Amino acid sequence: MRIATLQSFNLGLNAILDNQAAVNTTQQQVSSGRRVLTPADDPIASTKILQLQQDLAQREQYERNMTAAENRLNLEEATLSSITDALTRIQELTVNAGSGTLTITDRQAISAEISQLENQLGSLFNTKDPNGEYIFAGFKGASAPFQQQDNGRYEYQGDEGQRYLALGDTTRVATGDNGKKLFVDVRAAKNTFTTAVNPLNEGSTQVNAGFVVDEEAYAEFYPDDLIITFNSEAAVTPAGPNYTVRRASDGRVVDGMAQREYKNGGEIVVAGISLKISGDPEPGDEVLAKSSPKQSITDTVYRLRQGLDSLEDNPEDALTLDILIEDTLTNLANAQTSVSEVRSQLGARLNVVENQRSLSADVKLVSQEVLSELSDVDFAEAVSRLSLQTFLLEAAQQSYTTISRLSLFNQL
């Protein structure tokens, strides 16, 4: 077989180029520490490497979620611990307030301390996390869940949402509890009611928490609700602010409660309950008294403080105070139970975070080992291969030089 001079040159050049490419590839592997530089180097390994890298990136996000969840849960647990301490102190003051030897001045002093504790509870209920979000506001974390009205009463403005964070592909953990579940929906000692103003009101109407002053009369009315509607001033003579009280179930006017004269801050007694409305209502404004087997912690403390401030030193008020003290102690005990139940749930959630972190660390270690086996270069083998490829490149260069000089012209 005859080999043309051009073919001989091309074969030598191709051998040099192939060996140079092999040397360059090995040098890149050694300098980068990676065996697979492009998918073409090992298509199957490249696919597995990509999958492992994506899994590790997602696992790092899960680890950040675990840290965020743990911090938020620890903050909530510490806050609930402080709330428990405040409720315990209020219980002690409530027991002291029931002593028959106390004077009005003594009860007012107790009321003053309870007022401070009430403000402390309001601050704790509005605790923020490091990101500036209120931890007991549900999904409305940007605004304070418990807002104090001009009459001193706290009203819940959050929602009933509960936030979760993903700790794994199939594992989520709740990172908070809304204030309605924790501090508002607390089982009451007896059937009671909650008051609220219609959010569509146009006036500056406010209402206090109220009291049940006649348990038999309220038992007959329960579980119906009351709607207090303010009428046009021209509806009565002489013209002036007035209101009508109706049953929420059928709209019937409660006996004797049609177009009653309104007095700012005056007491309204109807269906066995007493409440006070203040502000400047506009015609059409509504105040609601909703029957409920539950009573918020804020209303329990508010009613206690209001009762201690308003009761006089006479036999009838002493009986009312005894009932108030008894109901308050029961309500505070129920509040303690509500908080304790959530604290136990927090412990369980923290255990889930810790267990998931341990599992994630084990899986991450295995994934990193597999990824290293697939992508990392074996330096001993690569250096040996580089030496061989360098030797072959030098041999190809020398042989090309020798062959390129083989010509008949050199013999003339």
Side-chain angles (χ1 to χ4, degrees):
M1 180 179 66
R2 296 178 59 187
I3 299 177
T5 302
L6 179 60
Q7 185 178 5
S8 176
F9 275 88
N10 286 337
L11 289 173
L13 180 60
N14 289 336
I16 293 174
L17 294 176
D18 289 342
N19 283 301
Q20 282 181 334
V23 169
N24 289 337
T25 298
T26 305
Q27 285 179 331
Q28 291 179 13
Q29 289 177 336
V30 173
S31 62
S32 66
R34 293 186 295 121
R35 181 181 67 87
V36 181
L37 300 174
T38 64
D41 295 339
D42 191 335
I44 296 177
S46 296
T47 302
K48 292 181 178 180
I49 288 171
L50 180 60
Q51 292 174 342
L52 287 169
Q53 288 175 337
Q54 291 175 340
D55 179 74
L56 288 172
Q58 188 174 35
R59 198 161 297 283
E60 289 178 359
Q61 179 59 55
Y62 287 147
E63 290 177 353
R64 289 192 290 270
N65 287 355
M66 292 175 204
T67 300
E70 188 175 48
N71 292 340
R72 192 176 173 93
L73 292 173
N74 283 329
L75 174 61
E76 182 177 351
E77 203 285 328
T79 303
L80 292 182
S81 176
S82 297
I83 290 172
T84 299
D85 294 340
L87 292 176
T88 300
R89 179 54 183 163
I90 294 174
Q91 284 178 313
E92 295 172 354
L93 292 172
T94 303
V95 173
N96 293 339
S99 174
T101 61
L102 296 181
T103 64
I104 295 178
T105 303
D106 294 333
R107 287 201 295 267
Q108 289 176 344
I110 292 176
S111 174
E113 183 174 352
I114 289 176
S115 177
Q116 295 297 318
L117 291 167
E118 183 181 15
N119 292 334
Q120 179 185 352
L121 285 174
S123 177
L124 290 170
F125 293 166
N126 289 329
T127 297
K128 294 181 181 181
D129 65 13
N131 295 324
E133 292 196 329
Y134 295 91
I135 65 175
F136 298 121
F139 294 139
K140 296 183 177 180
S143 57
F146 287 87
Q147 298 182 11
Q148 192 172 27
Q149 309 303 304
D150 291 341
N151 59 9
R153 185 186 178 204
Y154 285 91
E155 292 188 3
Y156 182 68
Q157 303 295 329
D159 59 26
E160 299 183 47
Q162 187 172 36
R163 299 189 181 193
Y164 287 82
L165 273 178
L167 307 183
D169 294 337
T170 59
T171 304
R172 298 193 312 158
V173 67
T175 59
D177 298 273
N178 63 77
K180 188 175 187 301
K181 169 189 173 184
L182 258 172
F183 312 126
V184 177
D185 292 340
V186 179
R187 184 167 52 87
K190 302 171 184 175
N191 288 332
T192 183
F193 66 97
T194 60
T195 58
V197 297
N198 190 323
L200 300 179
N201 286 353
E202 296 183 355
S204 58
T205 312
Q206 292 189 358
V207 61
N208 71 346
F211 298 94
V212 175
V213 294
D214 188 337
E215 294 185 357
E216 292 183 1
Y218 185 65
E220 292 178 1
F221 183 80
Y222 188 89
D224 210 344
D225 300 335
L226 288 173
I227 300 178
I228 302 174
T229 306
F230 286 89
N231 311 307
S232 170
E233 293 189 6
V236 295
T237 303
N242 65 94
Y243 60 88
T244 297
V245 184
R246 292 181 172 85
R247 291 175 177 268
S249 58
D250 53 19
R252 288 188 295 121
V253 177
V254 178
D255 294 342
M257 299 303 293
Q259 298 178 340
R260 298 292 297 271
E261 180 185 3
Y262 168 69
K263 294 181 180 179
N264 189 352
E267 184 180 29
I268 299 175
V269 180
V270 57
I273 68 174
S274 168
L275 50 84
K276 293 181 179 180
I277 299 176
S278 58
D280 295 318
E282 294 290 334
D285 283 2
E286 292 181 338
V287 173
L288 312 176
K290 304 177 183 178
S291 60
S292 175
K294 300 176 181 179
Q295 180 168 293
S296 68
I297 296 176
T298 53
D299 275 356
T300 293
V301 179
Y302 179 87
R303 283 173 171 167
L304 174 63
R305 178 172 58 81
Q306 290 282 302
L308 293 175
D309 288 341
S310 62
L311 294 178
E312 300 294 338
D313 196 6
N314 61 60
E316 291 185 0
D317 282 347
L319 179 59
T320 303
L321 177 62
D322 290 341
I323 296 173
L324 177 63
I325 295 296
E326 179 183 353
D327 290 349
T328 299
L329 288 174
T330 302
N331 292 337
L332 289 174
N334 292 340
Q336 293 269 35
T337 300
S338 175
V339 173
S340 297
E341 289 176 353
V342 173
R343 291 183 70 181
S344 65
Q345 294 172 11
L346 291 177
R349 295 175 204 167
L350 286 169
N351 287 337
V352 170
V353 174
E354 185 61 31
N355 293 337
Q356 189 65 24
R357 176 179 280 116
S358 177
L359 175 62
S360 179
D362 293 340
V363 174
K364 181 178 180 180
L365 180 61
V366 172
S367 298
Q368 288 174 334
E369 290 178 352
V370 174
L371 179 62
S372 176
E373 292 176 0
L374 291 173
S375 63
D376 291 350
V377 69
D378 183 345
F379 283 98
E381 184 274 334
V383 170
S384 298
R385 177 159 36 92
L386 179 61
S387 298
L388 175 61
Q389 291 170 342
T390 302
F391 172 77
L392 295 175
L393 175 60
E394 293 174 350
Q397 291 172 337
Q398 291 177 1
S399 63
Y400 177 80
T401 302
T402 302
I403 294 174
S404 65
R405 290 198 299 266
L406 296 178
S407 171
L408 291 176
F409 293 101
N410 294 330
Q411 307 300 323
L412 296 179

